[in-house]
Amino acid sequence: MTQIRLYVTTDEAGAGRVLDALSEQLGEAPYALATMEIDEKACIWEASVYLEAEEEEALRAVFEAALGFFPEAERPEVEKEVIPDVDWIARSLEGLKPVRAGRFLVHGAHDREDRRPGDIALEIEAGQAFGTGHHGTTAGCLEMIDTLLKAEAPRNALDLGTGTGVLAMAVRKLRPIPVLATDIDDVAVKVARWNARQNGIVSGVDFVTAPGFHHAAFAEHGPFDLVIANILARPLMKLAPGLRANLLPGGSVILSGILETQRWKVLAAYRAQGMRHVRTYWREGWVTLLLKG
């Protein structure tokens, strides 16, 4: 299917307000939202939503409604970019070297010879879902999982926004406990399920397409004493009440997808839910947080 990007050009504050307005309008609908700096000196930013071409008419109306806070004379025009039908993620990740994070080695099939005795190997090919270990957020989560599970023995885990499934697989490789792995993207769920089988995990991890905590899977599998969510800062803050409601008392939460500058905002959202900060890992401008319920 052809994908497109609808976007507006504004300043940094305007882009942030557009993103907030779009998040409110779309609720938990599975659309990717983003802001991006175009020109630092001129303070030019873009706020975008990514969608399938056949959804353009409906989403354009939603986007235009989200711009209602601008004075009419200053309201930016919604523009459109057609995204080429190329698997850019797979292309950009071809040939990436294996990544070590704690005891984990994340690698492609062509790097199996790099495994060492004692490695916990996770074979992930470049593909259509986020999370190959090469990004600081995924590597930070793997390190935090390794450290945490040396000290604790959770009995029921949730990987929220599973992507490739690498974090769910990491937990399962270390502990034979049930893991619920969810994502809003059905393609990601299919990729994650396939990856698990390729890594010899045929049971114990339930991969589910679930757009929000109202999905039956959370009630069926929860509550959880370990929750891992490697998403982005804004969705993490929005998800704080629902995540806390699905966490057992004393449970552990690993959060990532958070820029260093966003750390305090995310911590504030979870402290408001009665959670305490235990540890922060810093990697490549990103942070991974460990919290306790």
Side-chain angles (χ1 to χ4, degrees), residues 96-138:
L96 284 177
K97 294 180 180 180
V99 171
R100 294 189 178 277
R103 288 175 287 173
F104 297 108
L105 175 71
V106 185
H107 65 89
H110 57 289
D111 285 316
R112 289 173 183 165
E113 69 277 4
D114 289 325
R115 299 173 181 172
R116 301 173 188 165
D119 282 344
I120 301 172
L122 297 165
E123 187 171 304
I124 305 289
E125 295 300 333
Q128 294 173 287
F130 175 81
T132 62
H134 294 85
H135 195 276
T137 61
T138 308

Side-chain angles (χ1 to χ4, degrees), residues 30-52:
Y31 293 103
L33 307 177
T35 59
M36 179 169 54
E37 187 175 39
I38 305 302
D39 187 325
E40 182 179 3
K41 289 184 178 179
C43 193
I44 297 174
W45 285 64
E46 287 179 354
S48 308
V49 58
Y50 294 80
L51 56 141
E52 305 295 343

Side-chain angles (χ1 to χ4, degrees), residues 20 43 51 55 62 86 94 99 103 115 117 119 135 148 169 172 180 192 195 198-199 262 278 289 293:
D20 289 340
C43 193
L51 56 141
E55 301 172 301
V62 171
V86 176
E94 287 172 358
V99 171
R103 288 175 287 173
R115 299 173 181 172
D119 282 344
H135 195 276
L148 180 68
M169 291 188 290
R172 185 68 185 176
L180 173 63
N195 283 335
Q198 293 300 109
N199 282 269
Q262 300 168 324
V278 177
L289 306 175

Side-chain angles (χ1 to χ4, degrees), residues 66-83:
L67 303 177
F69 64 88
F70 284 101
E72 190 170 350
E74 300 173 15
R75 193 167 301 165
E77 179 184 354
V78 178
E79 300 180 72
K80 168 180 153 182
E81 176 191 11
V82 178
I83 300 171

